[in-house]
């Protein structure tokens, strides 16, 4: 939505960004280098973690048990995990289930970002609200301050006690 707002300002009348994946400018510069995305897949914590994610489950019940109380899902209410498993798994053709988004593909997407969210932010003319997670955020505190400097009228806040999955962890905000 930020990229669209920066490219086509007439299409957008305001932005609400919830725990956006906006990396430091250096990460986008690194992705432009030869073999940049490949090197990032080996060094970027988000990509490394995604690539190691378990992909196969004998049943949806096994998947629910595997996700409950672990990692990014540790703060999810049970009904959110059930929804994730229902919509995030597909049959694997061998009687079991696998993630609809393969871990290797997810890891690759983190490292193949050749867009410019910082340039888009400078072009946005409409109101901007951004909520950042306190823990495991994909937007650093330094990046948040930089956003505030670029968009002095933006409403920026850190949601205490929330992690990257802020909408699921703190839907009240």
């Amino acid at each position: 939505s930020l990229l669209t707002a920066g490219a086509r300002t007439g299409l957008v009348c305001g932005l609400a960004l919830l725990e956006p994946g906006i990396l430091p400018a250096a990460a986008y510069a690194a992705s432009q280098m030869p073999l940049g995305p490949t090197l990032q897949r080996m060094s970027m914590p988000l990509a490394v973690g995604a690539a190691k994610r378990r992909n196969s489950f004998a049943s949806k019940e096994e998947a629910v048990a595997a996700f409950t109380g672990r990692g990014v899902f540790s703060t999810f209410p049970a009904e959110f995990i059930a929804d994730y498993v229902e919509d995030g798994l597909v049959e694997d053709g061998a009687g079991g289930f696998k993630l609809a988004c393969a871990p290797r593909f997810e890891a690759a997407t983190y490292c193949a970002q050749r867009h410019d969210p910082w340039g888009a932010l400078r072009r946005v003319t409409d109101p901007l609200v951004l909520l950042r997670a306190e823990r495991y955020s994909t937007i650093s505190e330094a990046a948040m301050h930089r956003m505030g400097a670029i968009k002095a009228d933006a409403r920026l806040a850190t949601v205490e006690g929330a992690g990257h999955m802020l909408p699921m962890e703190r839907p009240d905000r």
Side-chain angles (χ1 to χ4, degrees), residues 68-83:
T68 299
R70 293 192 176 96
V72 74
F73 300 98
S74 64
T75 59
F76 278 34
E79 61 270 16
F80 283 43
I81 293 175
D83 285 346

Side-chain angles (χ1 to χ4, degrees), residues 27-48:
Y28 297 104
S31 72
Q32 299 295 331
M33 296 174 18
L35 300 175
T38 301
L39 294 172
Q40 285 179 317
R41 260 184 252 155
M42 294 181 281
S43 62
M44 183 186 289
L46 275 174
V48 171

Side-chain angles (χ1 to χ4, degrees), residues 15-17 127-131 144 148 151-157 173:
L15 286 170
L17 304 176
L128 170 70
V129 174
L130 182 142
L131 295 180
M144 186 111 143
K151 290 283 176 217
D153 60 343
R155 293 177 53 205
L156 310 174
R173 288 300 302 261

